[in-house]
Amino acid sequence: MALLADGVSRLLIDGKLTSGGAGGFATVNPATEEVLGEAANADTADMDRAIGAARRAFDETGWSTNTELRVRCVRQLRDAMREHVEELRDLTIADVGAPRMLTAGAQLEGPINDLSFAADTAENYEWTQDLGLASPMGIPTRRSVVREAVGVVGAITPWNFPHQINLAKLGPALAAGNTVVLKPAPDTPWVAAVLGELIAEHTDIPPGVVNIVTSTDHALGAMLAKDPRVDLVSFTGSTATGRSVMADAAATIKKVFLELGGKSAFLVLDDADLAAACSVAGFSVCLHAGQGCAITTRLVVPRARYDEAVAIAAGTMGSIKPGDPSKPGTICGPVISARQRDRVQSYLDLAIAEGGEFACGGGRPADQPAGFFIEPTVISGLTNEARVAREEIFGPVLTVIPHDGDDDAVRIANDSPYGLSGTVYGADPERAAGVAARLRAGTVNVNGGVWYAADMPFGGYKQSGNGREMGIAGFEEYLEIKAIATAAN
Protein backbone atom coordinates (compact mmCIF):
# COMPACT_ATOMS: atom_id res chain seq x y z
CA MET A 1 0.00 0.00 0.00
CA ALA A 2 1.37 3.43 -0.96
CA LEU A 3 1.91 5.88 1.86
CA LEU A 4 -0.45 8.88 1.91
CA ALA A 5 -2.00 7.43 -1.24
CA ASP A 6 -4.79 10.02 -1.43
CA GLY A 7 -2.52 12.99 -0.69
CA VAL A 8 -4.13 13.50 2.71
CA SER A 9 -2.56 12.71 6.07
CA ARG A 10 -4.47 11.84 9.22
CA LEU A 11 -4.04 11.97 12.96
CA LEU A 12 -3.28 8.83 14.95
CA ILE A 13 -5.32 8.86 18.15
CA ASP A 14 -6.03 5.80 20.29
CA GLY A 15 -5.00 3.45 17.50
CA LYS A 16 -7.22 5.00 14.84
CA LEU A 17 -6.32 7.15 11.85
CA THR A 18 -8.70 10.07 11.88
CA SER A 19 -9.36 13.51 10.40
CA GLY A 20 -8.65 16.65 12.35
CA GLY A 21 -11.33 18.55 14.20
CA ALA A 22 -10.16 21.80 12.57
CA GLY A 23 -10.24 20.32 9.07
CA GLY A 24 -7.03 20.27 7.06
CA PHE A 25 -4.19 22.52 6.00
CA ALA A 26 -1.96 22.55 2.95
CA THR A 27 1.55 21.17 3.07
CA VAL A 28 3.89 22.94 0.66
CA ASN A 29 7.07 21.88 -1.13
CA PRO A 30 9.63 24.54 -0.09
CA ALA A 31 11.68 24.03 -3.25
CA THR A 32 8.80 24.71 -5.65
CA GLU A 33 6.12 26.39 -3.50
CA GLU A 34 3.66 23.84 -4.90
CA VAL A 35 0.98 22.37 -2.67
CA LEU A 36 1.72 18.70 -2.05
CA GLY A 37 -1.56 17.84 -0.40
CA GLU A 38 -3.37 18.19 2.88
CA ALA A 39 -2.54 17.44 6.50
CA ALA A 40 -5.06 16.83 9.24
CA ASN A 41 -5.47 19.93 11.41
CA ALA A 42 -6.17 18.92 15.00
CA ASP A 43 -8.05 21.06 17.49
CA THR A 44 -7.93 21.12 21.28
CA ALA A 45 -10.49 18.33 21.53
CA ASP A 46 -8.24 16.09 19.42
CA MET A 47 -5.27 16.80 21.67
CA ASP A 48 -7.37 16.15 24.76
CA ARG A 49 -8.38 12.76 23.33
CA ALA A 50 -4.77 11.96 22.46
CA ILE A 51 -3.56 12.75 25.97
CA GLY A 52 -6.40 10.72 27.47
CA ALA A 53 -5.59 7.76 25.24
CA ALA A 54 -1.91 7.86 26.17
CA ARG A 55 -2.80 8.07 29.87
CA ARG A 56 -5.12 5.06 29.67
CA ALA A 57 -2.63 3.03 27.67
CA PHE A 58 0.04 3.64 30.29
CA ASP A 59 -2.16 3.13 33.35
CA GLU A 60 -4.41 0.30 32.20
CA THR A 61 -2.29 -1.93 29.93
CA GLY A 62 0.88 -3.94 30.37
CA TRP A 63 2.88 -1.85 27.89
CA SER A 64 5.20 -0.34 30.51
CA THR A 65 6.15 -3.72 31.97
CA ASN A 66 6.26 -5.90 28.85
CA THR A 67 9.79 -5.34 27.60
CA GLU A 68 9.57 -8.11 24.99
CA LEU A 69 6.52 -6.49 23.38
CA ARG A 70 8.12 -3.05 23.33
CA VAL A 71 11.32 -4.31 21.76
CA ARG A 72 9.38 -6.19 19.10
CA CYS A 73 7.22 -3.17 18.30
CA VAL A 74 10.13 -0.76 17.95
CA ARG A 75 11.83 -3.20 15.59
CA GLN A 76 8.59 -3.58 13.63
CA LEU A 77 8.47 0.18 13.13
CA ARG A 78 12.11 0.15 11.98
CA ASP A 79 11.41 -2.67 9.53
CA ALA A 80 8.28 -0.99 8.16
CA MET A 81 10.22 2.20 7.53
CA ARG A 82 12.97 0.25 5.80
CA GLU A 83 10.39 -1.49 3.62
CA HIS A 84 8.98 1.89 2.54
CA VAL A 85 12.28 3.77 2.53
CA GLU A 86 12.11 4.95 -1.10
CA GLU A 87 8.63 6.37 -0.62
CA LEU A 88 9.81 7.99 2.60
CA ARG A 89 12.83 9.42 0.81
CA ASP A 90 10.71 11.13 -1.84
CA LEU A 91 8.27 12.33 0.81
CA THR A 92 11.08 13.77 2.93
CA ILE A 93 12.64 15.64 0.01
CA ALA A 94 9.27 17.14 -0.91
CA ASP A 95 7.97 17.93 2.59
CA VAL A 96 11.23 19.09 4.20
CA GLY A 97 13.22 20.33 1.21
CA ALA A 98 16.01 18.04 2.38
CA PRO A 99 18.75 17.35 -0.18
CA ARG A 100 18.60 13.78 -1.43
CA MET A 101 22.17 13.13 -0.30
CA LEU A 102 21.20 13.78 3.34
CA THR A 103 18.41 11.18 3.27
CA ALA A 104 21.11 8.48 3.28
CA GLY A 105 22.14 9.86 6.68
CA ALA A 106 20.52 12.03 9.33
CA GLN A 107 17.45 12.99 7.28
CA LEU A 108 16.10 9.43 6.99
CA GLU A 109 18.15 6.25 6.93
CA GLY A 110 20.25 7.12 9.98
CA PRO A 111 17.24 7.67 12.27
CA ILE A 112 15.56 4.50 10.99
CA ASN A 113 18.65 2.45 11.81
CA ASP A 114 18.96 4.18 15.18
CA LEU A 115 15.69 2.54 16.25
CA SER A 116 17.80 -0.61 16.58
CA PHE A 117 19.81 1.03 19.33
CA ALA A 118 16.67 1.87 21.29
CA ALA A 119 15.33 -1.67 20.98
CA ASP A 120 18.68 -3.28 21.79
CA THR A 121 19.16 -1.01 24.81
CA ALA A 122 15.77 -1.95 26.26
CA GLU A 123 16.37 -5.65 25.60
CA ASN A 124 19.70 -5.65 27.43
CA TYR A 125 19.12 -2.95 30.04
CA GLU A 126 19.63 -3.64 33.74
CA TRP A 127 16.14 -2.64 34.87
CA THR A 128 16.76 -3.78 38.46
CA GLN A 129 20.06 -3.37 40.29
CA ASP A 130 20.56 -5.45 43.42
CA LEU A 131 22.53 -3.48 46.02
CA GLY A 132 22.61 -6.45 48.34
CA LEU A 133 22.14 -6.72 52.08
CA ALA A 134 23.03 -3.88 54.44
CA SER A 135 22.01 -2.63 57.87
CA PRO A 136 21.22 1.07 57.68
CA MET A 137 20.26 2.34 61.14
CA GLY A 138 20.94 -1.17 62.38
CA ILE A 139 18.05 -2.73 60.44
CA PRO A 140 18.97 -5.64 58.12
CA THR A 141 17.65 -4.61 54.72
CA ARG A 142 17.85 -5.97 51.19
CA ARG A 143 18.00 -3.07 48.75
CA SER A 144 17.43 -2.68 45.04
CA VAL A 145 17.23 0.16 42.56
CA VAL A 146 14.54 -0.16 39.89
CA ARG A 147 14.29 1.89 36.73
CA GLU A 148 10.87 2.24 35.19
CA ALA A 149 9.04 4.36 32.64
CA VAL A 150 8.17 7.96 33.49
CA GLY A 151 4.64 7.68 32.08
CA VAL A 152 3.04 9.82 29.37
CA VAL A 153 5.54 11.71 27.21
CA GLY A 154 4.63 14.82 25.27
CA ALA A 155 7.07 15.14 22.35
CA ILE A 156 7.18 18.47 20.51
CA THR A 157 9.41 18.52 17.46
CA PRO A 158 10.68 20.99 14.80
CA TRP A 159 10.87 20.89 11.02
CA ASN A 160 14.56 20.87 10.17
CA PHE A 161 15.46 17.18 10.68
CA PRO A 162 12.01 15.76 11.47
CA HIS A 163 12.70 12.03 11.09
CA GLN A 164 15.82 12.27 13.20
CA ILE A 165 14.17 14.22 15.98
CA ASN A 166 10.80 12.41 15.91
CA LEU A 167 12.47 9.00 16.10
CA ALA A 168 15.12 10.09 18.61
CA LYS A 169 12.19 10.78 20.94
CA LEU A 170 9.79 8.01 19.95
CA GLY A 171 12.35 5.18 19.88
CA PRO A 172 13.78 5.47 23.40
CA ALA A 173 10.53 6.70 24.96
CA LEU A 174 8.64 3.66 23.70
CA ALA A 175 11.45 1.20 24.37
CA ALA A 176 11.65 2.51 27.93
CA GLY A 177 7.95 1.79 28.46
CA ASN A 178 6.30 5.18 28.04
CA THR A 179 3.32 6.18 25.97
CA VAL A 180 3.70 9.18 23.68
CA VAL A 181 1.79 12.09 22.21
CA LEU A 182 3.81 13.55 19.33
CA LYS A 183 3.10 17.13 18.22
CA PRO A 184 5.27 17.82 15.14
CA ALA A 185 5.89 21.17 13.50
CA PRO A 186 3.15 22.22 11.06
CA ASP A 187 5.81 22.98 8.42
CA THR A 188 6.55 19.25 7.94
CA PRO A 189 3.37 17.40 8.93
CA TRP A 190 3.58 14.55 6.44
CA VAL A 191 6.84 13.02 7.63
CA ALA A 192 5.30 12.72 11.11
CA ALA A 193 1.85 11.64 10.01
CA VAL A 194 3.25 8.84 7.87
CA LEU A 195 4.57 7.27 11.08
CA GLY A 196 0.95 6.98 12.17
CA GLU A 197 0.11 4.95 9.07
CA LEU A 198 3.07 2.65 9.59
CA ILE A 199 2.35 2.18 13.28
CA ALA A 200 -1.34 1.47 12.72
CA GLU A 201 -0.83 -0.91 9.81
CA HIS A 202 2.55 -2.57 10.36
CA THR A 203 3.18 -2.87 14.10
CA ASP A 204 1.66 -4.43 17.20
CA ILE A 205 1.85 -1.15 19.13
CA PRO A 206 -1.38 -1.12 21.19
CA PRO A 207 -3.98 1.63 20.79
CA GLY A 208 -3.11 4.79 22.68
CA VAL A 209 0.59 4.01 23.09
CA VAL A 210 1.51 6.39 20.23
CA ASN A 211 -0.62 9.34 19.26
CA ILE A 212 0.43 11.73 16.48
CA VAL A 213 -1.31 15.10 16.37
CA THR A 214 -0.56 17.50 13.51
CA SER A 215 -1.91 21.03 13.77
CA THR A 216 -1.28 24.63 12.84
CA ASP A 217 -2.29 25.63 16.38
CA HIS A 218 0.84 26.02 18.51
CA ALA A 219 -1.38 26.14 21.61
CA LEU A 220 -1.69 22.35 21.32
CA GLY A 221 1.98 22.07 22.26
CA ALA A 222 1.31 24.22 25.30
CA MET A 223 -1.48 21.80 26.26
CA LEU A 224 1.08 19.01 26.52
CA ALA A 225 3.25 21.11 28.81
CA LYS A 226 0.36 22.19 31.04
CA ASP A 227 -1.74 19.02 31.25
CA PRO A 228 -1.27 17.12 34.55
CA ARG A 229 -1.84 13.80 32.72
CA VAL A 230 1.47 14.32 30.91
CA ASP A 231 4.51 13.28 32.98
CA LEU A 232 7.37 14.51 30.78
CA VAL A 233 7.78 16.95 27.92
CA SER A 234 10.60 16.45 25.43
CA PHE A 235 10.93 19.56 23.29
CA THR A 236 13.29 20.42 20.46
CA GLY A 237 13.11 23.91 18.99
CA SER A 238 13.99 27.52 19.65
CA THR A 239 15.26 28.74 23.00
CA ALA A 240 12.40 31.25 23.22
CA THR A 241 9.78 28.53 22.84
CA GLY A 242 11.74 26.29 25.20
CA ARG A 243 11.39 28.92 27.92
CA SER A 244 7.61 28.88 27.42
CA VAL A 245 7.51 25.08 27.60
CA MET A 246 9.49 25.11 30.83
CA ALA A 247 7.25 27.79 32.32
CA ASP A 248 4.07 25.94 31.31
CA ALA A 249 5.39 22.68 32.76
CA ALA A 250 6.35 24.28 36.07
CA ALA A 251 2.79 24.28 37.36
CA THR A 252 2.74 20.48 37.49
CA ILE A 253 6.50 20.02 38.22
CA LYS A 254 6.79 17.59 35.32
CA LYS A 255 10.10 16.52 33.88
CA VAL A 256 11.22 18.67 30.97
CA PHE A 257 13.94 17.83 28.44
CA LEU A 258 14.92 20.70 26.15
CA GLU A 259 17.14 20.63 23.05
CA LEU A 260 17.30 24.25 21.98
CA GLY A 261 19.23 26.71 19.84
CA GLY A 262 22.88 27.09 19.06
CA LYS A 263 25.43 29.56 17.73
CA SER A 264 28.38 27.23 17.63
CA ALA A 265 31.97 28.20 16.93
CA PHE A 266 34.49 26.63 14.54
CA LEU A 267 37.93 27.43 15.98
CA VAL A 268 40.93 27.41 13.65
CA LEU A 269 44.23 27.42 15.57
CA ASP A 270 47.29 29.13 14.13
CA ASP A 271 49.00 25.80 13.31
CA ALA A 272 46.00 24.40 11.40
CA ASP A 273 45.74 23.84 7.66
CA LEU A 274 43.78 27.04 7.04
CA ALA A 275 42.53 26.07 3.59
CA ALA A 276 41.19 22.72 4.74
CA ALA A 277 39.59 24.08 7.91
CA CYS A 278 37.87 27.07 6.30
CA SER A 279 36.64 24.95 3.40
CA VAL A 280 35.10 22.45 5.82
CA ALA A 281 33.49 25.26 7.79
CA GLY A 282 31.98 26.78 4.67
CA PHE A 283 30.73 23.47 3.33
CA SER A 284 29.06 22.47 6.60
CA VAL A 285 27.08 25.72 6.81
CA CYS A 286 25.61 25.05 3.37
CA LEU A 287 24.28 21.58 4.21
CA HIS A 288 20.47 21.65 4.26
CA ALA A 289 20.70 25.45 3.87
CA GLY A 290 22.21 25.79 7.33
CA GLN A 291 19.07 24.56 9.06
CA GLY A 292 20.75 22.67 11.87
CA CYS A 293 20.98 23.74 15.49
CA ALA A 294 24.48 22.29 15.92
CA ILE A 295 25.99 23.71 12.73
CA THR A 296 29.07 25.85 13.44
CA THR A 297 28.06 29.28 12.12
CA ARG A 298 30.90 31.34 13.69
CA LEU A 299 34.27 30.77 12.03
CA VAL A 300 36.95 32.00 14.46
CA VAL A 301 40.34 32.35 12.77
CA PRO A 302 43.81 33.79 13.52
CA ARG A 303 43.74 37.57 13.07
CA ALA A 304 46.95 37.55 11.02
CA ARG A 305 45.28 35.34 8.40
CA TYR A 306 41.77 36.79 8.60
CA ASP A 307 41.49 38.02 5.00
CA GLU A 308 42.83 34.74 3.69
CA ALA A 309 40.33 32.78 5.80
CA VAL A 310 37.42 34.90 4.55
CA ALA A 311 38.49 34.35 0.95
CA ILE A 312 38.75 30.57 1.41
CA ALA A 313 35.34 30.30 3.07
CA ALA A 314 33.79 32.52 0.41
CA GLY A 315 35.39 30.46 -2.33
CA THR A 316 33.82 27.31 -0.96
CA MET A 317 30.40 28.76 -0.19
CA GLY A 318 30.23 30.82 -3.35
CA SER A 319 30.74 27.67 -5.41
CA ILE A 320 27.76 25.92 -3.78
CA LYS A 321 24.62 26.92 -5.61
CA PRO A 322 21.21 26.43 -3.97
CA GLY A 323 19.10 24.10 -6.04
CA ASP A 324 16.61 21.29 -6.46
CA PRO A 325 16.91 19.02 -3.41
CA SER A 326 15.69 16.03 -5.39
CA LYS A 327 18.89 16.03 -7.47
CA PRO A 328 21.68 13.80 -6.11
CA GLY A 329 24.38 16.48 -6.22
CA THR A 330 22.49 19.22 -4.36
CA ILE A 331 24.05 20.29 -1.07
CA CYS A 332 22.07 23.44 -0.30
CA GLY A 333 18.32 23.23 -0.81
CA PRO A 334 15.68 25.74 0.24
CA VAL A 335 14.88 26.96 3.71
CA ILE A 336 11.57 25.66 4.96
CA SER A 337 9.19 28.56 4.25
CA ALA A 338 8.78 32.09 2.97
CA ARG A 339 8.66 33.22 6.61
CA GLN A 340 12.03 31.62 7.32
CA ARG A 341 13.56 33.00 4.12
CA ASP A 342 12.44 36.49 5.12
CA ARG A 343 13.85 35.99 8.61
CA VAL A 344 17.24 34.99 7.23
CA GLN A 345 17.19 37.95 4.85
CA SER A 346 16.44 40.29 7.75
CA TYR A 347 19.65 39.10 9.43
CA LEU A 348 21.61 39.65 6.22
CA ASP A 349 20.27 43.19 6.06
CA LEU A 350 21.20 43.61 9.73
CA ALA A 351 24.76 42.48 9.04
CA ILE A 352 25.22 45.38 6.62
CA ALA A 353 23.59 47.79 9.06
CA GLU A 354 26.02 46.62 11.73
CA GLY A 355 28.99 47.43 9.49
CA GLY A 356 29.65 44.01 8.00
CA GLU A 357 30.34 43.02 4.42
CA PHE A 358 29.41 40.05 2.25
CA ALA A 359 32.33 38.09 0.88
CA CYS A 360 29.77 36.07 -1.10
CA GLY A 361 26.00 35.78 -1.21
CA GLY A 362 23.70 38.16 0.62
CA GLY A 363 20.27 37.48 -0.81
CA ARG A 364 18.08 35.31 -2.99
CA PRO A 365 19.68 33.47 -5.93
CA ALA A 366 18.70 35.04 -9.24
CA ASP A 367 18.42 31.65 -10.98
CA GLN A 368 15.70 30.35 -8.63
CA PRO A 369 12.43 32.16 -9.44
CA ALA A 370 10.41 29.84 -7.20
CA GLY A 371 11.18 28.19 -3.89
CA PHE A 372 12.44 29.54 -0.58
CA PHE A 373 16.13 29.82 -1.45
CA ILE A 374 18.91 31.92 0.10
CA GLU A 375 22.45 32.21 -1.25
CA PRO A 376 25.24 30.80 0.92
CA THR A 377 26.66 33.92 2.55
CA VAL A 378 29.93 34.80 4.27
CA ILE A 379 29.84 37.87 6.55
CA SER A 380 33.12 39.60 7.37
CA GLY A 381 34.18 42.73 9.25
CA LEU A 382 32.23 42.14 12.47
CA THR A 383 33.14 41.13 16.00
CA ASN A 384 31.53 38.60 18.29
CA GLU A 385 29.36 41.39 19.75
CA ALA A 386 27.36 41.76 16.51
CA ARG A 387 23.84 40.34 16.59
CA VAL A 388 24.52 38.16 13.55
CA ALA A 389 27.34 36.60 15.58
CA ARG A 390 25.20 36.06 18.67
CA GLU A 391 21.72 35.09 17.44
CA GLU A 392 20.67 31.89 15.71
CA ILE A 393 19.92 32.65 12.05
CA PHE A 394 19.13 29.12 10.79
CA GLY A 395 20.24 29.70 7.23
CA PRO A 396 23.39 29.20 5.10
CA VAL A 397 25.20 32.10 6.76
CA LEU A 398 28.74 32.08 8.18
CA THR A 399 30.22 34.94 10.20
CA VAL A 400 34.04 35.09 10.26
CA ILE A 401 35.58 36.49 13.46
CA PRO A 402 39.30 37.06 14.22
CA HIS A 403 41.08 35.75 17.33
CA ASP A 404 44.41 36.55 18.98
CA GLY A 405 45.53 33.13 20.13
CA ASP A 406 44.08 30.04 21.81
CA ASP A 407 42.84 31.79 24.95
CA ASP A 408 41.07 34.45 22.92
CA ALA A 409 39.56 31.83 20.60
CA VAL A 410 38.14 29.94 23.59
CA ARG A 411 36.85 33.19 25.07
CA ILE A 412 35.03 34.05 21.85
CA ALA A 413 33.57 30.56 21.50
CA ASN A 414 32.26 30.59 25.07
CA ASP A 415 31.02 34.19 24.86
CA SER A 416 27.56 33.08 23.79
CA PRO A 417 24.27 32.36 25.52
CA TYR A 418 24.38 28.99 23.76
CA GLY A 419 26.56 25.92 24.23
CA LEU A 420 25.39 23.23 21.84
CA SER A 421 28.37 22.37 19.67
CA GLY A 422 31.86 23.35 18.61
CA THR A 423 34.76 22.44 16.34
CA VAL A 424 38.51 22.77 16.78
CA TYR A 425 41.08 22.41 13.98
CA GLY A 426 44.80 22.31 14.78
CA ALA A 427 47.89 20.41 13.63
CA ASP A 428 48.98 19.45 17.15
CA PRO A 429 46.40 16.88 18.39
CA GLU A 430 47.23 17.44 22.06
CA ARG A 431 46.89 21.20 21.74
CA ALA A 432 43.62 20.91 19.80
CA ALA A 433 42.24 18.49 22.40
CA GLY A 434 43.21 20.93 25.16
CA VAL A 435 41.30 23.74 23.46
CA ALA A 436 38.29 21.45 22.90
CA ALA A 437 38.25 20.57 26.60
CA ARG A 438 37.78 24.25 27.45
CA LEU A 439 34.70 24.74 25.27
CA ARG A 440 31.42 25.02 27.15
CA ALA A 441 29.49 22.92 24.66
CA GLY A 442 27.73 19.57 24.67
CA THR A 443 29.33 18.21 21.48
CA VAL A 444 32.78 18.98 20.12
CA ASN A 445 34.41 17.88 16.85
CA VAL A 446 38.21 17.88 16.77
CA ASN A 447 39.84 17.84 13.33
CA GLY A 448 36.80 16.38 11.60
CA GLY A 449 35.67 13.79 14.13
CA VAL A 450 31.96 12.83 13.98
CA TRP A 451 29.92 12.89 17.18
CA TYR A 452 26.54 12.09 15.58
CA ALA A 453 25.73 8.44 16.31
CA ALA A 454 22.97 6.46 18.01
CA ASP A 455 25.18 5.62 21.00
CA MET A 456 26.46 9.19 21.53
CA PRO A 457 24.52 11.61 23.76
CA PHE A 458 23.49 14.89 22.15
CA GLY A 459 22.54 18.09 23.94
CA GLY A 460 23.86 21.42 25.11
CA TYR A 461 25.03 23.66 27.89
CA LYS A 462 23.50 26.98 28.97
CA GLN A 463 20.55 28.17 26.86
CA SER A 464 21.02 25.31 24.41
CA GLY A 465 18.92 23.21 26.74
CA ASN A 466 19.03 20.53 29.39
CA GLY A 467 19.17 16.76 29.30
CA ARG A 468 20.49 14.60 26.49
CA GLU A 469 19.04 12.86 23.45
CA MET A 470 20.41 9.59 22.01
CA GLY A 471 22.88 7.26 23.68
CA ILE A 472 22.27 5.60 27.03
CA ALA A 473 21.87 9.05 28.58
CA GLY A 474 19.04 9.80 26.13
CA PHE A 475 17.34 6.48 26.90
CA GLU A 476 17.51 7.18 30.63
CA GLU A 477 15.84 10.59 30.22
CA TYR A 478 12.63 8.59 29.86
CA LEU A 479 13.07 6.62 33.09
CA GLU A 480 12.33 7.20 36.76
CA ILE A 481 14.46 5.69 39.53
CA LYS A 482 12.81 3.84 42.38
CA ALA A 483 14.66 2.68 45.49
CA ILE A 484 13.15 -0.40 47.18
CA ALA A 485 14.21 -1.50 50.65
CA THR A 486 12.86 -4.78 52.06
CA ALA A 487 13.41 -5.80 55.64
CA ALA A 488 15.54 -8.93 55.84
CA ASN A 489 14.41 -11.18 58.68
Side-chain angles (χ1 to χ4, degrees):
M1 173 180 175
L3 301 175
L4 301 180
D6 58 356
V8 177
S9 71
R10 293 169 176 80
L11 313 176
L12 176 64
I13 299 178
D14 206 10
K16 296 181 176 63
L17 297 171
T18 181
S19 301
F25 64 97
T27 183
V28 175
N29 184 326
T32 64
E33 303 183 49
E34 296 173 347
V35 173
L36 297 170
E38 185 175 278
N41 199 8
D43 59 16
T44 56
D46 293 321
M47 180 58 82
D48 182 72
R49 288 193 299 116
I51 295 171
R55 187 76 260 170
R56 286 192 302 275
F58 185 81
D59 292 342
E60 299 175 14
T61 75
W63 173 257
S64 67
T65 57
N66 191 335
T67 303
E68 185 278 329
L69 172 62
R70 300 198 308 270
V71 168
R72 184 173 78 248
C73 287
V74 171
R75 288 174 178 158
Q76 287 173 335
L77 177 58
R78 175 202 63 194
D79 293 345
M81 295 189 76
R82 285 175 174 171
E83 181 182 346
H84 291 274
V85 70
E86 293 309 321
E87 288 178 83
L88 290 169
R89 193 184 318 280
D90 291 340
L91 178 67
T92 304
I93 293 167
D95 199 26
V96 184
R100 180 174 294 276
M101 63 176 289
L102 292 182
T103 63
Q107 281 287 11
L108 179 61
E109 292 185 44
I112 293 173
N113 295 334
D114 290 350
L115 288 172
S116 298
F117 179 83
D120 294 348
T121 299
E123 188 171 49
N124 299 298
Y125 194 72
E126 186 180 12
W127 296 96
T128 300
Q129 181 183 10
D130 185 358
L131 297 185
L133 188 65
S135 296
M137 295 186 237
I139 300 173
T141 304
R142 184 164 297 281
R143 301 153 312 137
S144 60
V145 176
V146 176
R147 287 170 171 79
E148 58 189 25
V150 172
V152 175
V153 171
I156 306 171
T157 58
W159 42 259
N160 58 324
F161 281 80
H163 286 301
Q164 196 280 317
I165 300 168
N166 291 342
L167 296 179
K169 297 183 190 303
L170 274 177
L174 295 175
N178 301 278
T179 58
V180 180
V181 180
L182 172 62
K183 167 64 173 68
D187 306 85
T188 52
W190 273 13
V191 294
V194 75
L195 293 175
E197 281 193 17
L198 294 172
I199 287 168
E201 297 169 3
H202 296 278
T203 78
D204 297 324
I205 294 176
V209 167
V210 179
N211 304 272
I212 300 175
V213 182
T214 58
S215 178
T216 57
D217 186 354
H218 293 285
L220 269 61
M223 285 179 66
L224 287 171
K226 294 175 180 178
D227 198 302
R229 296 171 293 177
V230 177
D231 300 294
L232 179 153
V233 173
S234 180
F235 170 81
T236 299
S238 72
T239 295
T241 305
R243 290 190 189 98
S244 298
V245 170
M246 182 175 277
D248 287 340
T252 53
I253 319 294
K254 59 171 56 75
K255 290 183 70 174
V256 177
F257 159 66
L258 302 172
E259 197 277 284
L260 307 176
K263 192 68 181 181
S264 302
F266 190 120
L267 305 188
V268 183
L269 307 186
D270 60 16
D271 66 343
D273 181 333
L274 190 74
C278 295
S279 294
V280 169
F283 179 85
S284 66
V285 171
C286 295
L287 286 169
H288 192 34
Q291 297 172 114
C293 53
I295 291 175
T296 46
T297 54
R298 291 181 293 153
L299 177 58
V300 185
V301 301
R303 187 179 299 276
R305 304 186 70 182
Y306 182 79
D307 291 343
E308 185 182 355
V310 169
I312 295 166
T316 297
M317 293 180 66
S319 69
I320 297 173
K321 304 302 181 185
D324 183 352
S326 68
K327 293 183 177 179
T330 298
I331 294 165
C332 182
V335 295
I336 191 64
S337 64
R339 181 182 67 253
Q340 181 62 18
R341 179 189 60 198
D342 292 346
R343 181 178 183 274
V344 175
Q345 186 64 58
S346 74
Y347 273 104
L348 298 181
D349 297 342
L350 176 63
I352 299 301
E354 290 186 306
E357 298 179 350
F358 298 140
C360 68
R364 302 183 189 181
D367 62 345
Q368 297 291 344
F372 309 126
F373 293 96
I374 286 282
E375 296 173 308
T377 301
V378 173
I379 299 171
S380 65
L382 295 175
T383 69
N384 198 54
E385 283 66 46
R387 282 182 58 193
V388 293
R390 303 194 69 79
E391 299 177 13
E392 188 173 43
I393 297 174
F394 234 60
V397 181
L398 182 67
T399 303
V400 188
I401 301 167
H403 74 74
D404 295 307
D406 293 4
D407 290 346
D408 192 43
V410 170
R411 178 193 64 79
I412 291 168
N414 290 338
D415 180 18
S416 171
Y418 301 109
L420 188 55
S421 191
T423 293
V424 179
Y425 264 62
D428 181 343
E430 186 174 345
R431 177 185 174 191
V435 170
R438 297 164 63 190
L439 298 184
R440 298 286 295 166
T443 57
V444 182
N445 150 11
V446 180
N447 289 332
V450 178
W451 45 257
Y452 172 72
D455 60 347
M456 285 285 282
F458 175 73
Y461 292 15
K462 299 186 281 186
Q463 293 185 35
S464 287
N466 54 45
R468 290 295 180 270
E469 201 148 70
M470 304 174 70
I472 296 298
F475 181 82
E476 291 181 338
E477 290 287 351
Y478 296 99
L479 297 176
E480 290 280 21
I481 300 174
K482 178 184 289 182
I484 299 176
T486 303
N489 298 320

